[in-house]
Amino acid sequence: MGIALLVLLVQDIPLSGYLRQVETDRLVTSLERDAFVLAGRSEETLETPPASADAASSAAALTAAARGYRDSGGARVVIVNADGVAVVTSDDDQSAVGDSYASRPEIMGALGGQITSGHRYSDTLQIDLLYVTVPIVNGQDVVGAVRLTFPEQVVTDAVTRQISVLGLVALTTVVLAGIVGFIFSATVTRRLKLLQHTTERLADGDLDARADERAGAPEIRSLSVSFNRMATRLETLIGQQRTFAADASHQLRTPLTALRLRLERARELLEDGTDGSGVAAVERLAAAEAEADRLGSIIDGLLVLSRTESSTAPVVECDVARVARERVEHWQPLAQELGVGIRYEGPDHASASAIVTAPEQIIDNFVDNALSASTSTGTGTGVNSSTSSAAGLPHEIVVRVAAGSPGWRVSVLDDGPGLSDEDCARAFDRFWRADSDALGNGLGLAIVAQLARASRATVLLERRPEGGLEASVTFEARG
């Protein structure tokens, strides 16, 4: 409403001055026209000799015409002869007839053949007047003049009436602008209040709070979409945090309980003092140390997983083929000790996108799991080690890099006992362990999955038809 009022004021203030000028010009033009009409009718009266019989009747007719004009329009009429003496006026009191108007500048100008108009202050009437004076011409001679005077207040009143109409239009415009603005602002603010209410619900812990993305102005809908995306992300993060806390507390409780029980048992044996108690206590303490190591392993895994989840490291270009070859060389000595073969298959170079060190950590986790699976079947240090070696059929791990969709697929294949399809689907969950994995902490593959997500890669665990598992990760190709 304020803007609409300001625009109307800026427009109407100059317009009022323009209207005054237009109204003045219109009135002057009208007076000039009427003055010429009266001048034409006055010519015959002024040419008639004053002593003739027709002079009185002609003057009376002209006086009646002047009064009629005065009554119809409000202008005062004065008609003078060539000497500037008034012969006809529109006044009811004809006392002014016979008075000399030769001292009036406008009369003298008209008697000189000029058409004059303007404003002047009347000392007699004590008002501002608008006047028009025209000569009465007979051939080449000026025989008199007609002066029409009009109160300037009439022009002011006419302009005021027009400005009043403009003011009414302006007021109506402002009111309509207020109504439209109120309706529009109410619509916007109502949507903003709904969004505010939804925000307060989310702040109070209602993670299901969502804004309506289909109603309101485009900006409000865009804001609602952004809010819902934020709320969904927040709900996911809080859910992950709660799950992580629950899983971590559950997993940490087991080694802590075992550690406490073993230490208590060791203390009881030492306090008992019977034969062999020292050896038993040492065994209990050794078992407690193993549980402490397991607890440390779980905590280290949780820290690594936390870092990978909060990591915002950029994705860079890396040669996964070179990394795979280097990791095979790194694991070769340990694999030989365990009686397991390990080799690389693939191209010399494979440029892919990943965060720094992600390919190394993923391959190391896959190879570590593959070695555990291979040795658990009786090869190397297992119970059937001599039989397998004698048969010349050691277990083998293959690290393979191959072109896949949509990039490079890095796979680690083993010929261990394998897993069921259900276990393969759950293997990347936190703290999940296969029944045969008594030493793991269930975080290795979870870390692999998180590193893959950070690298915009995908991981998969599948059973091989010939036995064993294929753990793979597919990175986006570069170059």
Side-chain angles (χ1 to χ4, degrees), residues 30-77:
S30 176
L31 291 175
E32 287 180 354
R33 182 186 68 246
D34 296 340
F36 275 113
V37 172
L38 290 173
R41 296 184 63 178
S42 303
E43 179 184 353
E44 182 180 353
T45 301
L46 293 177
E47 289 178 350
T48 303
S52 64
D54 296 333
S57 61
S58 178
L62 186 59
T63 300
R67 289 176 178 174
Y69 178 77
R70 178 202 65 187
D71 295 338
S72 64
R76 181 172 182 262
V77 182

Side-chain angles (χ1 to χ4, degrees), residues 176-471:
L176 288 176
I179 295 173
V180 173
F182 176 78
I183 295 174
F184 178 76
S185 61
T187 302
V188 174
T189 54
R190 183 166 62 88
R191 294 297 173 188
L192 287 176
K193 287 180 180 178
L194 290 175
L195 185 58
Q196 179 187 7
H197 177 66
T198 305
T199 305
E200 291 173 351
R201 286 174 53 200
L202 182 65
D204 291 337
D206 184 3
L207 298 180
D208 294 327
R210 295 295 184 274
D212 187 359
E213 301 178 359
R214 299 169 297 175
E219 294 80 3
I220 300 297
R221 293 199 300 270
S222 177
L223 182 60
S224 298
V225 171
S226 299
F227 173 82
N228 288 344
R229 188 164 59 246
M230 178 196 69
T232 300
R233 177 60 176 162
L234 184 62
E235 182 180 19
T236 301
L237 291 176
I238 293 177
Q240 290 177 349
Q241 183 184 38
R242 289 173 177 172
T243 302
F244 182 83
D247 291 344
S249 62
H250 175 74
Q251 292 295 323
L252 291 174
R253 188 182 298 113
T254 301
L256 284 174
T257 302
L259 180 60
R260 185 179 67 251
L261 292 175
R262 293 181 186 278
L263 289 175
E264 289 178 355
R265 182 56 180 161
R267 178 177 56 79
E268 292 173 356
L269 291 174
L270 289 174
E271 290 176 351
D272 186 30
T274 58
D275 293 340
S277 60
V279 176
V282 169
E283 291 177 353
R284 293 291 179 176
L285 291 174
E289 185 179 357
E291 292 295 340
D293 291 340
R294 181 185 169 201
L295 180 61
S297 175
I298 292 176
I299 293 175
D300 290 341
L302 290 175
L303 290 174
V304 173
L305 190 59
S306 176
R307 293 191 190 101
T308 57
E309 285 182 340
S310 61
S311 175
T312 56
V315 175
V316 298
E317 182 178 359
C318 62
D319 189 346
V320 293
R322 178 185 59 79
V323 172
R325 289 196 305 272
E326 290 177 353
R327 303 325 296 164
V328 168
E329 294 174 0
H330 172 79
W331 286 96
Q332 193 80 48
L334 179 60
Q336 289 178 354
E337 272 188 40
L338 298 175
V340 179
I342 183 170
R343 61 185 176 88
Y344 168 77
E345 287 184 1
D348 293 335
H349 300 284
S351 181
S353 298
I355 64 172
V356 177
T357 75
E360 291 92 333
Q361 294 184 63
I362 292 175
I363 294 174
D364 283 346
N365 270 284
F366 284 165
V367 173
D368 186 28
N369 288 339
L371 285 173
S372 298
S374 298
T375 55
S376 68
T377 61
T379 303
T381 59
V383 294
N384 295 328
S385 175
S386 59
T387 305
S388 299
S389 299
L393 296 172
H395 288 273
E396 184 178 53
I397 297 173
V398 178
V399 179
R400 178 182 298 162
V401 176
S405 177
W408 291 101
R409 180 183 174 106
V410 180
S411 304
V412 176
L413 301 88
D414 65 63
D415 51 5
L419 297 173
S420 65
D421 292 335
E422 181 182 356
D423 288 344
C424 287
R426 298 181 54 199
F428 293 100
D429 295 341
R430 292 171 180 168
F431 303 113
W432 182 88
R433 290 182 295 172
D435 294 338
S436 60
D437 187 6
L439 300 177
N441 56 30
L443 293 175
L445 291 181
I447 296 172
V448 166
Q450 182 60 36
L451 289 171
R453 281 192 294 270
S455 302
R456 298 198 294 268
T458 56
V459 291
L460 187 64
L461 193 63
E462 299 175 291
R463 291 194 302 170
R464 299 176 63 193
E466 62 271 25
L469 294 175
E470 177 181 355

